[in-house]
């Protein structure tokens, strides 16, 4: 039976699992699979993928039946990756040609409603009142043709050199690939996004009895691994009371990040005993850890209602956890002790205490430096940070380094906040400046610490396109999909036609998503926009408004980049009515790039450069922004943001000021990118070469860093691409 987890390998690694012998060569039923493998490769090209030379050769040695099975499974996965697993119909029959003027289109819908047998009276009444509800018109917002009829009117896409081509490489045995992926996700040094956490849980359930990573540094990941270990009776990995709380959340399908409250389920007696025994052992070993309970007092109270600790007197230390939560036992938190010292103007005492919690010290550096009144205090803060830096996680070191770099700006700039669910807002930054001497001294110390932890490869091969990609310090700063980069990344846009698309399918109620594109001037003022209220502009065309999606619906915006007026293009998805991004059955956004003469269907998978899932808190999605450079070329800056918006009737006209303000704060912030780590790794003994797009076979193994894997690399090379970019972040 084919393993249900096989698609995970392809999505995460672009490797196709193959049965292999001990030497690594493909095995399985032998035969003449060459013809079928070439046919498989040809079909893959139609959706923008291809087999590497090695993979084509290995498939050719298998039986036809085996190759067909691999092809069917692989095609299903890659089509979903690119968004080609659904039908993308457009409202206007021959979009982007012949898109009407907005008012003319509305008037035609009114005229058709008057001629309709069922609606003329209500339409005439609305006309007499001076206001017509577009949704009441029978031809507005609902497909008037089938997907097959749309395809019949469209020319076939002629392949162009600029079309996307994603290469698939040969993998090993499926079991080995799944184990390697599990170890990579579980051992990640940065938090994973929601989809990757789901993948980790599925893999952990399979791999709980197999090899384990030496360390699981991210507590959220540890909770998911512990859930799987509990199910198979393995020893739990717990050393704080919060680890137990996260595990309880996982067992109730709740939020292991502890951002959202979890509704705890009734737990079986063996599970209750396991959790209480774990709590007891943690507190018995270190009673000071009771101080962590007060931070999440309410969650502990709710969990206590499910665990019934009073029924288990043999675990008295576990009972103390819930006594603290109820306020019956005092256990001042670490943070409250720090606050007490700062409130008493004892900054040196607070710094001394924070040395015992290096991560907290690093997160408080900005505040401590602003609070310091004397040079002695400022020097003490910096000295403490230098002392404990080796004990701080790599992602925190890099996060603070990025923060300090941006603190060089003058007071009065915009300050951007983004929570773990992508909700974004801005305020004026009224903080006092951080002293330049202390700031520079800290940045030098952080760079030295990062350099110490990074590997020193003899040969470093770097794709220039990856240099401006933001470091993935958290998986929450990105979205699941194809060609997606972390928030703040910059990537070049090469093509004459830019086409956005959104697809959604409602679950239970009528749901109306609206795709729009806001064009801003260099000073962030509004130039124009394309939306259902402005179907055509000099820049391009909108495919038409769809107001319901019981069977799925798509909207498109076609842009001629050479005609764009202004400096920014901001695509956005507004929820006008119905279900949210996390409530619909499915929703995703993406963009395509085409040459000027390329026509074809509204959606052509081989031209898709990016497709990301829309799963965030808010009613307005901002996936990315396109910026015009001084040379006239365009680049994309990745956002992955959501605005709260209104409960209904969100429109680009209503949120353009908010979007512009947020955009200004983000565009003017400098991210720490791959370039920074490459420069730190480029020390004595390391030869750095920029990849020219050709394979490299000679000279021994290399460390390759790029957006996509080259077809040819020396055996034993380490490969880091956008799929596993998190591996660059040192522990």
């Amino acid at each position: 039976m084919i393993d249900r987890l096989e698609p995970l390998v392809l999505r995460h690694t672009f490797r196709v699992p193959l049965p292999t012998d001990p030497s690594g060569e493909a095995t399985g039923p032998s035969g003449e699979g060459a013809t079928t493998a070439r046919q498989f490769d040809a079909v893959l090209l139609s959706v923008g993928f291809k087999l590497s030379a090695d993979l084509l050769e290995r498939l050719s040695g298998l039986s036809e039946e085996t190759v067909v099975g691999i092809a069917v499974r692989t095609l299903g996965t890659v089509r979903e990756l690119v968004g080609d697993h659904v039908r993308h119909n457009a409202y206007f029959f021959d979009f982007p040609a012949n898109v009407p003027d907005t008012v003319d289109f509305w008037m035609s819908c009114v005229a058709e409603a008057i001629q309709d047998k069922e609606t003329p009276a209500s339409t005439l009444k609305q006309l007499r009142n001076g206001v017509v509800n577009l949704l009441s018109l029978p031809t507005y917002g609902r497909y008037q043709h089938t997907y097959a009829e749309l395809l019949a009117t469209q020319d076939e896409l002629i392949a162009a050199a600029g079309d996307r081509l994603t290469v698939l490489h040969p993998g090993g045995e499926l079991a080995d690939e799944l184990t390697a992926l599990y170890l990579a996700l579980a051992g990640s040094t940065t938090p994973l996004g929601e989809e990757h956490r789901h993948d980790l849980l599925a893999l952990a359930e399979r791999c709980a009895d197999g090899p384990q990573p030496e360390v699981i540094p991210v507590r959220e990941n540890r909770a998911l691994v512990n859930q799987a270990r509990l199910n198979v009776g393995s020893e739990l990995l717990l050393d704080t009371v919060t680890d137990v709380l996260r595990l309880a959340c996982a067992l109730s399908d709740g939020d292991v990040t502890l951002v959202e409250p979890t509704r705890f389920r009734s737990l079986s007696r063996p599970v209750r005993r396991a959790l209480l025994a774990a709590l007891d052992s943690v507190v018995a070993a270190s009673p000071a850890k009771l101080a962590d309970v007060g931070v999440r007092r309410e969650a502990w109270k709710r969990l206590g209602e499910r665990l019934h600790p009073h029924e288990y007197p043999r675990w008295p230390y576990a009972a103390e956890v819930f006594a603290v939560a109820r306020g019956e036992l005092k256990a001042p938190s670490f943070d409250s002790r720090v606050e007490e010292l700062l409130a008493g103007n004892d900054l040196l005492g607070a710094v001394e205490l924070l040395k015992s919690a290096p991560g907290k010290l690093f997160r408080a550096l900005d505040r401590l430096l602003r609070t310091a009144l004397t040079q002695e205090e400022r020097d003490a803060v910096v000295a403490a940070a230098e002392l404990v830096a080796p004990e701080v996680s790599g992602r925190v070191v890099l996060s603070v380094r990025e923060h300090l770099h941006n603190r060089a700006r003058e007071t009065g700039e915009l300050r951007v906040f983004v929570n773990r669910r992508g909700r974004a807002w801005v305020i004026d930054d009224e903080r006092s400046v951080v002293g330049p001497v202390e700031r520079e001294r800290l940045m030098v110390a952080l760079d030295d610490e990062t350099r110490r932890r990074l590997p020193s490869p003899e040969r470093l091969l770097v794709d220039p396109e990856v240099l401006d990609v933001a470091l993935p310090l958290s998986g929450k700063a990105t979205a699941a999909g194809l060609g997606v980069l972390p928030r703040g990344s910059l990537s070049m846009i090469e093509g004459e036609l830019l086409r956005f698309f959104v697809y959604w399918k409602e679950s239970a109620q009528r749901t109306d998503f609206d795709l729009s594109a806001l064009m801003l001037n260099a000073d962030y003022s509004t130039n124009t926009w394309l939306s259902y209220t402005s179907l055509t502009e000099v820049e391009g065309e909108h495919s038409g408004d769809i107001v319901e999606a019981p069977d799925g619906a798509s909207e498109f915006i076609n842009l001629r980049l050479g005609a764009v007026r202004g400096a920014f293009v901001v695509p956005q998805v507004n929820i006008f009515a119905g279900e949210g991004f996390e409530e619909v059955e499915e929703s995703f956004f993406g963009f395509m790039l085409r040459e000027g003469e390329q026509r074809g269907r509204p959606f052509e998978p081989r031209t898709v450069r990016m497709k990301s899932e829309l799963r965030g808190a808010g009613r307005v999605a901002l996936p990315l922004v396109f910026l015009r450079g001084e040379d006239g070329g365009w680049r994309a800056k990745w956002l992955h943001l959501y605005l709260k918006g209104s409960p209904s009737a969100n429109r680009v006209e209503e949120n353009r000021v908010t979007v512009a303000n947020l955009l200004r704060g983000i565009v003017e912030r400098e991210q720490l990118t791959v370039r920074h780590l490459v420069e730190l790794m480029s020390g004595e003994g390391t030869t750095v070469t920029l990849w020219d797009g050709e394979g490299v076979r000679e000279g021994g193994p290399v460390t390759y860093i790029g957006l996509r894997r080259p077809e040819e690399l020396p055996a034993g090379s380490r490969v880091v691409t956008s799929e596993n970019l998190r591996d660059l972040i040192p522990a």
Side-chain angles (χ1 to χ4, degrees):
M1 185 176 69
I2 301 303
D3 197 297
R4 63 183 178 86
L5 298 180
E6 184 176 4
L8 297 189
V9 175
L10 192 58
R11 284 198 288 107
H12 283 271
T13 67
F14 290 114
R15 289 161 58 91
V16 178
L18 297 173
T20 59
D21 61 23
S23 69
E25 293 299 319
T27 62
S30 61
E32 296 296 329
T35 300
T36 306
R38 287 194 297 271
Q39 292 171 340
F40 174 28
D41 194 31
V43 176
L44 279 173
L45 286 171
S46 69
V47 289
F49 293 83
K50 74 178 297 292
L51 304 174
S52 70
D54 285 347
L55 181 52
L56 181 61
E57 180 181 354
R58 294 195 185 191
L59 289 174
S60 297
L62 301 177
S63 70
E64 180 179 347
E65 181 181 0
T66 302
V67 176
V68 168
I70 292 173
V72 169
R73 299 191 300 274
T74 302
L75 280 168
T77 301
V78 300
R79 289 186 66 208
E80 185 171 356
L81 265 177
V82 80
D84 193 44
H85 61 298
V86 297
R87 293 183 171 184
H88 293 277
N89 202 351
Y91 180 88
F92 293 122
F93 199 69
D94 49 0
F95 170 83
N98 302 318
V99 174
D101 172 79
T102 308
V103 176
D104 290 345
F105 168 62
W106 290 351
M107 291 305 297
S108 69
C109 290
V110 171
E112 291 168 354
I114 293 174
Q115 296 172 8
D116 188 88
K117 294 180 180 180
E118 298 181 1
T119 59
S122 62
T123 304
L124 289 171
K125 182 178 179 180
Q126 292 183 69
L127 286 171
R128 284 193 294 269
N129 292 335
V131 178
V132 175
N133 180 2
L134 291 173
L135 297 180
S136 70
L137 306 178
T139 60
Y140 183 86
R142 299 164 182 87
Y143 290 118
Q144 302 300 301
H145 53 264
T146 67
Y147 179 67
E149 289 170 337
L150 177 139
L151 292 186
T153 69
Q154 302 286 346
D155 297 330
E156 283 195 29
L157 180 77
I158 299 175
D163 290 347
R164 178 188 53 81
L165 199 59
T166 303
V167 179
L168 303 180
H169 296 270
E173 289 280 358
L174 178 58
D176 295 337
E177 292 286 345
L178 291 173
T179 297
L181 181 56
Y182 165 69
L183 294 174
L185 292 179
S188 172
T189 58
T190 62
L192 303 175
E194 183 177 1
E195 184 188 50
H196 285 185
R197 287 201 303 273
H198 286 310
D199 293 345
L200 172 59
L201 178 58
L203 290 164
E205 291 172 348
R206 177 192 178 103
C207 302
D209 288 330
Q212 300 295 311
E214 293 183 8
V215 63
I216 303 177
V218 178
R219 300 284 175 168
E220 302 156 16
N221 299 350
R222 190 179 301 183
L224 300 175
V225 172
N226 276 329
Q227 180 180 358
R229 293 172 73 89
L230 182 63
N231 291 337
V232 299
S234 297
E235 182 182 357
L236 299 179
L237 309 173
L238 303 163
D239 56 23
T240 70
V241 294
T242 308
D243 282 341
V244 180
L245 181 61
R246 292 185 194 274
L247 173 56
C249 290
L251 293 169
S252 295
D253 289 337
D255 181 14
V256 294
T257 71
L258 305 181
V259 174
E260 297 296 325
T262 292
R263 183 184 294 275
F264 293 108
R265 297 173 177 171
S266 295
L267 301 172
S268 68
R269 190 173 293 273
V271 170
R272 297 207 308 269
R273 287 198 296 263
L275 293 179
L276 288 169
L279 273 179
D280 193 79
S281 63
V282 168
V283 177
S286 178
K289 292 184 178 180
L290 282 172
D292 295 339
V293 175
V295 178
R296 296 181 173 85
R297 189 183 306 274
E298 293 305 315
W300 282 112
K301 288 180 184 178
R302 293 194 301 272
L303 180 59
E305 295 170 357
R306 297 298 187 184
L307 294 184
H308 312 302
H310 59 279
E311 297 178 3
Y312 301 92
R314 58 179 151 162
W315 292 310
Y317 293 104
E320 291 182 3
V321 170
F322 301 99
V324 172
R326 294 190 300 269
E328 300 166 0
L329 186 66
K330 300 297 182 183
S333 70
F334 184 90
D335 291 342
S336 68
R337 293 162 60 196
V338 172
E339 291 299 328
E340 184 177 351
L341 290 168
L342 291 175
N345 297 318
D346 186 2
L347 184 138
L348 294 179
V351 170
E352 192 64 30
L353 178 59
L354 282 165
K355 286 182 183 178
S356 64
K360 289 182 180 291
L361 172 63
F362 262 55
R363 291 181 175 92
L365 279 176
D366 192 296
R367 179 188 178 188
L368 294 172
L369 289 171
R370 286 184 284 115
T371 303
L373 299 177
T374 66
Q375 189 61 46
E376 178 190 4
E377 290 178 332
R378 288 189 286 272
D379 288 343
V381 172
V382 175
E386 292 173 331
L387 178 67
V388 304
E391 303 174 54
V392 179
S393 70
R395 71 183 183 89
V396 173
V397 169
L398 290 167
S399 295
V400 173
R401 172 63 168 81
E402 179 179 285
H403 170 82
L404 291 171
H405 176 77
N406 283 280
R407 287 291 273 130
R409 298 189 297 173
E410 296 296 327
T411 302
E413 298 288 341
L414 291 177
R415 188 178 180 188
V416 180
F417 293 88
V418 183
N419 67 18
R420 292 189 177 195
R421 301 181 67 195
R423 179 79 65 79
W425 65 98
V426 294
I427 63 172
D428 291 331
D429 190 351
E430 298 178 350
R431 294 171 297 177
S432 58
V433 297
V434 173
V437 174
E438 289 76 29
R439 192 178 64 85
E440 289 296 328
R441 181 177 162 188
L442 280 170
M443 288 198 297
V444 169
L446 298 183
D447 285 348
D448 288 344
E449 179 59 31
T450 303
R451 186 182 293 109
R452 182 185 68 82
R453 302 186 194 189
L454 289 170
S456 300
E458 184 176 337
R459 302 175 65 202
L460 184 59
L461 182 63
V462 181
D463 176 1
E465 292 183 11
V466 82
L467 292 174
D468 290 325
V469 173
L471 294 179
L473 301 178
S474 172
K476 301 177 183 69
T478 187
L482 175 76
V484 179
L485 297 178
R487 180 181 299 131
S489 298
L490 285 168
S491 55
M492 295 300 299
I493 298 298
E494 297 179 353
E496 300 173 55
L497 294 177
L498 175 62
R499 183 172 297 174
F500 310 128
F501 60 90
V502 65
Y503 173 88
W504 75 101
K505 185 177 182 182
E506 61 199 43
S507 294
Q509 60 176 303
R510 185 182 73 82
T511 299
D512 180 2
F513 283 12
D514 290 325
L515 179 64
S516 305
L518 177 64
M519 271 67 82
L520 301 176
N521 298 314
D523 62 356
Y524 302 97
S525 62
T526 301
N527 187 303
T528 187
W529 63 82
L530 280 162
S531 70
Y532 77 93
T533 62
S534 179
L535 295 172
T536 59
E537 282 290 343
V538 172
E539 287 83 354
E541 303 83 21
H542 192 287
S543 67
D545 187 22
I546 300 296
V547 301
E548 59 185 15
D551 301 314
S554 301
E555 290 185 9
F556 302 88
I557 286 179
N558 197 59
L559 282 178
R560 291 173 288 277
L561 288 174
V564 171
R565 297 164 291 171
F568 303 99
V569 175
V570 192
Q572 57 183 264
V573 181
N574 293 274
I575 299 179
F576 190 86
E579 300 162 344
F581 295 116
E582 296 179 332
E583 298 169 323
V584 292
E585 182 176 322
E586 183 176 13
S587 63
F588 55 83
F589 166 90
F591 72 86
M592 297 171 272
L593 284 171
R594 302 190 185 187
E595 304 299 331
E597 300 304 318
Q598 275 187 297
R599 301 194 182 279
R601 299 172 293 176
F603 181 88
E604 288 286 0
R606 76 178 77 173
T607 67
V608 172
R609 295 304 196 274
M610 167 271 203
K611 174 249 181 182
S612 68
E613 302 299 317
L614 292 176
R615 285 287 185 270
R619 305 288 284 183
V620 179
L622 302 173
L624 72 174
V625 58
F626 295 86
L627 306 81
R628 191 199 300 271
E630 295 181 359
D631 60 355
W634 289 88
R635 294 189 296 171
K637 184 155 189 171
W638 303 76
L639 302 178
H640 309 300
L641 298 177
Y642 293 84
L643 304 181
K644 180 179 180 181
S646 303
S648 63
N650 292 287
R651 298 190 303 160
V652 63
E653 297 95 321
E654 304 298 329
N655 61 40
R656 53 198 168 114
V657 174
T658 301
V659 169
N661 211 27
L662 177 64
L663 189 65
R664 179 186 160 207
I666 290 179
V667 168
E668 296 180 4
R669 178 181 175 83
E670 295 185 38
Q671 309 292 140
L672 213 57
T673 65
V674 173
R675 187 187 306 276
H676 177 71
L677 293 189
V678 168
E679 289 173 351
L680 293 180
M681 294 169 67
S682 305
E684 185 177 350
T686 297
T687 302
V688 181
T689 305
L690 295 181
W691 182 52
D692 60 3
E694 300 296 327
V696 178
R697 282 277 190 193
E698 305 299 327
V702 303
T703 293
Y704 171 80
I705 306 173
L707 292 181
R708 56 193 179 278
R709 176 180 181 145
E711 284 224 40
E712 295 184 353
L713 286 176
S717 293
R718 181 192 180 198
V719 178
V720 178
T721 62
S722 56
E723 289 74 42
N724 65 330
L725 201 58
R726 61 183 176 275
D727 292 350
L728 279 181
I729 309 302

